[in-house]
Amino acid sequence: METFWTLKLFFVFVLGPAICETRPNFLLILADDLGYGDLETNGHPTSAAPSLKKLHSESLVFSNFYSASAVCSPSRMLRQGDFLRFSILDITRAFQLFVMIMPEPCFGQCNNGDVSCPLYSNTTIVEQPTSLPDLTQKYTHKAILEIERFSKSEDPFFMYLAYHETHHPQFAGDFRNASSRGSFGDALMEMDHSIGKIISALKKKNLLNNTLIFFTSDNGPSLMRHERGGSAGLFRCGKDTTWEGGLRVPAFLYYPVHVQPGITHELASTLDVTPTILALANVTSRTDVSHGFDLSPLFLNHSQEVRQSLAMFSTEPKKAFEPYAIRYKHFKSHFYTRGSSLSDDLNFDHACRSSSRQEKHDQALIFDLSVDPSERYDLRSPEARKLRGQMEQLRQEYRANVTWAPSEMAKGQNRHLSPCCSRPATCEPFPDCCDCDEEGSFSSPNDRLPEISVISVGP
């Protein structure tokens, strides 16, 4: 069971004003469990995603882009080693408007003692359980409405779209059985169609040429789902590991006129997204994002090596062992490794399986990813011994500079904190009593969400 689901904002749409002099708009798109090898543009022969294919061709593509974590919740963090901590009031302080669902684990039969997935409009639950097959259509519709609203204003905007696609279980709405890649391909087409409609709306309202669009994924693919999971391409293992397949993800940036299409092999991370957007918006950060770098010199001024190194943490981090791995330029060193059931307990590579327990490498593994991206050939030359020393020094620097947050998972579960439509979570019979009645549901893809009062950005 993927224990991180209870912490995760599974699908998020948030919108608010950007503060800047040059007045760009920002659209940040995050796919879920989309692996490096899952897109047609990265070589998958049956992944049809025409909107992303066109966007990719007109974008700066990052070939060495890493998620902050190999599972969902901590991949949304700002600082390395620090699990994302959030609450509904936290979000209302950060954004003017948001629409989201907060999922509970559901495998096989969905009534497993947890409440149904609620759909929030700001702090109000407007549907519970959420109709997942048409959820993306609702997000798309709301996003387009907000684009139309902002087209009438001089204020630039920041929009964050975190899709549930292509996470398992897959819901494809109108694209069911449309792809030759099966349910995964159907879900990819559903997300792609949504992205295409939103880009078309930006173009129709003459906003596209002044909008920076960044697309990436939260982590590598869930290989345990086999053909219904994703693909890491040539990279080793997948989700929930610090091997390349768990952390290296597709990423590309579209910013017409300002950024020329092409490819960059420079190192970058989701940790860099926030400081980059803040810099372009001329905003002085009130948040510690010291583990991230402003990437704008890379794509605006063609500077090299904005980031030289990156620390990689396990998904159940303990201070004594972290970080598990260090990437430095085109080299990567593993100090600890372990497999995961999310990378498939039937994987032909034993290092990926959960039976591969945490292993300390007294002589750290080291790979030259420029010639060995699959991490197969541990370097043993005299030069590699010197490089191991440099990697260990980098690791110690990261260890000294990471602030550790209290474990959210260690706090346990509290039924009274469960999202419950229109009534407290003390109701009976729990959890069925938390579901909305039919009149309170929000089921039509074309229904507009209730009007929401604007919440100003907090101090």
Side-chain angles (χ1 to χ4, degrees):
M1 178 178 292
E2 187 183 346
T3 56
F4 288 99
W5 279 24
T6 54
L7 286 179
K8 173 186 171 189
L9 292 180
F10 204 174
F11 333 120
V12 186
F13 164 73
V14 285
L15 182 70
I19 304 170
C20 59
E21 296 176 0
T22 54
R23 310 189 72 79
N25 305 306
F26 300 97
L27 173 58
L28 175 60
I29 303 173
L30 191 70
D32 203 323
D33 285 10
L34 187 76
Y36 195 92
D38 278 322
L39 293 178
E40 179 184 7
T41 51
N42 282 5
H44 200 290
T46 56
S47 285
S51 298
L52 285 172
K53 182 178 181 180
K54 185 176 188 301
L55 188 66
H56 183 278
S57 70
E58 299 171 349
S59 296
L60 179 66
V61 178
F62 291 81
S63 67
N64 283 284
F65 192 87
Y66 290 84
S67 175
S69 176
V71 291
C72 311
S73 295
S75 67
R76 274 87 167 168
M77 67 188 177
L78 294 176
R79 301 186 303 176
Q80 291 175 310
D82 184 1
F83 277 87
L84 178 67
R85 292 171 291 172
F86 70 89
S87 68
I88 294 297
L89 294 176
D90 289 335
I91 298 171
T92 59
R93 286 199 300 267
F95 297 99
Q96 279 199 321
L97 179 154
F98 65 90
V99 181
M100 69 176 189
I101 76 163
M102 294 177 62
E104 296 295 324
C106 178
F107 300 89
Q109 296 298 317
C110 287
N111 191 348
N112 59 0
D114 294 296
V115 297
S116 305
C117 293
L119 176 64
Y120 276 90
S121 177
N122 274 3
T123 57
T124 301
I125 296 176
V126 294
E127 184 181 71
Q128 190 176 15
T130 302
S131 175
L132 296 177
D134 57 17
L135 180 63
T136 296
Q137 298 173 52
K138 294 172 184 174
Y139 283 163
T140 307
H141 178 67
K142 185 58 177 176
I144 291 173
L145 286 175
E146 293 304 318
I147 287 170
E148 291 175 349
R149 182 170 68 88
F150 269 97
S151 70
K152 302 172 185 176
S153 168
E154 294 184 357
D155 292 328
F157 64 81
F158 169 79
M159 183 182 291
Y160 173 38
L161 282 163
Y163 287 92
H164 63 284
E165 289 96 0
T166 50
H167 196 289
H168 179 91
Q170 285 111 12
F171 299 93
D174 295 335
F175 290 87
R176 186 178 180 186
N177 298 324
S179 169
S180 58
R181 196 184 167 184
S183 62
F184 187 101
D186 293 348
L188 178 59
M189 290 180 71
E190 175 88 358
M191 177 177 69
D192 182 78
H193 180 70
S194 170
I195 292 170
K197 290 188 71 172
I198 291 168
I199 291 175
S200 294
L202 289 168
K203 185 175 182 180
K204 181 180 179 181
K205 296 299 179 180
N206 296 317
L207 295 172
L208 185 59
N209 286 338
N210 195 37
T211 300
L212 185 151
I213 303 175
F214 192 87
F215 175 88
T216 190
S217 177
D218 64 346
N219 47 247
S222 180
L223 303 180
M224 71 180 292
R225 303 298 179 184
H226 297 177
E227 71 276 6
R228 297 191 68 175
S231 169
L234 77 168
F235 298 132
R236 194 172 190 180
C237 303
K239 186 173 181 176
D240 199 23
T241 75
T242 51
W243 297 102
E244 288 292 278
L247 288 165
R248 204 190 301 198
V249 291
F252 41 93
L253 182 150
Y254 171 88
Y255 193 18
V257 180
H258 301 279
V259 176
Q260 294 298 312
I263 187 169
T264 176
H265 301 298
E266 296 300 325
L267 184 61
S269 165
T270 51
L271 293 165
D272 305 325
V273 172
T274 297
T276 301
I277 290 176
L278 292 178
L280 290 172
N282 296 326
V283 174
T284 301
S285 173
R286 294 185 294 266
T287 305
D288 177 10
V289 288
S290 58
H291 292 163
F293 293 85
D294 172 17
L295 297 177
S296 61
L298 175 64
F299 54 80
L300 294 179
N301 304 324
H302 307 289
S303 300
Q304 301 297 309
E305 291 189 334
V306 172
R307 172 187 284 278
Q308 287 193 336
S309 65
L310 177 69
M312 301 176 183
F313 291 76
S314 72
T315 56
E316 297 178 4
K318 295 180 175 58
K319 188 175 181 180
F321 309 120
E322 305 295 339
Y324 262 39
I326 294 288
R327 171 81 191 257
Y328 173 67
K329 296 188 175 182
H330 55 90
F331 295 101
K332 183 177 176 184
S333 188
H334 291 267
F335 301 90
Y336 289 86
T337 55
R338 68 168 178 83
S340 169
S341 60
L342 295 175
S343 281
D344 188 14
D345 283 340
L346 298 176
N347 200 309
F348 69 92
D349 186 340
H350 289 266
C352 305
R353 302 178 182 181
S354 62
S355 57
S356 179
R357 306 290 185 181
Q358 176 177 286
E359 179 181 0
K360 180 181 179 181
H361 301 281
D362 292 325
Q363 180 171 283
L365 306 179
I366 191 165
F367 302 97
D368 183 347
L369 298 180
S370 64
V371 294
D372 178 26
S374 300
E375 299 174 286
R376 296 294 175 187
Y377 311 109
D378 184 23
L379 300 179
R380 297 290 177 179
S381 64
E383 292 79 8
R385 285 197 293 270
K386 179 180 179 181
L387 189 57
R388 281 185 176 86
Q390 294 174 327
M391 293 290 214
E392 176 60 34
Q393 182 178 349
L394 274 173
R395 182 171 181 263
Q396 293 304 324
E397 291 175 3
Y398 274 103
R399 287 174 61 84
N401 291 319
V402 166
T403 301
W404 285 83
S407 170
E408 295 296 316
M409 301 299 291
K411 294 180 180 179
Q413 299 183 6
N414 185 344
R415 165 185 162 179
H416 300 291
L417 300 178
S418 298
C420 200
C421 182
S422 303
R423 49 183 75 87
T426 54
C427 64
E428 298 294 344
F430 184 84
D432 295 338
C433 64
C434 284
D435 291 350
C436 298
D437 57 31
E438 292 184 3
E439 292 183 358
S441 67
F442 176 69
S443 57
S444 172
N446 296 317
D447 283 347
R448 181 166 182 169
L449 288 173
E451 292 296 331
I452 304 168
S453 59
V454 173
I455 302 173
S456 60
V457 178

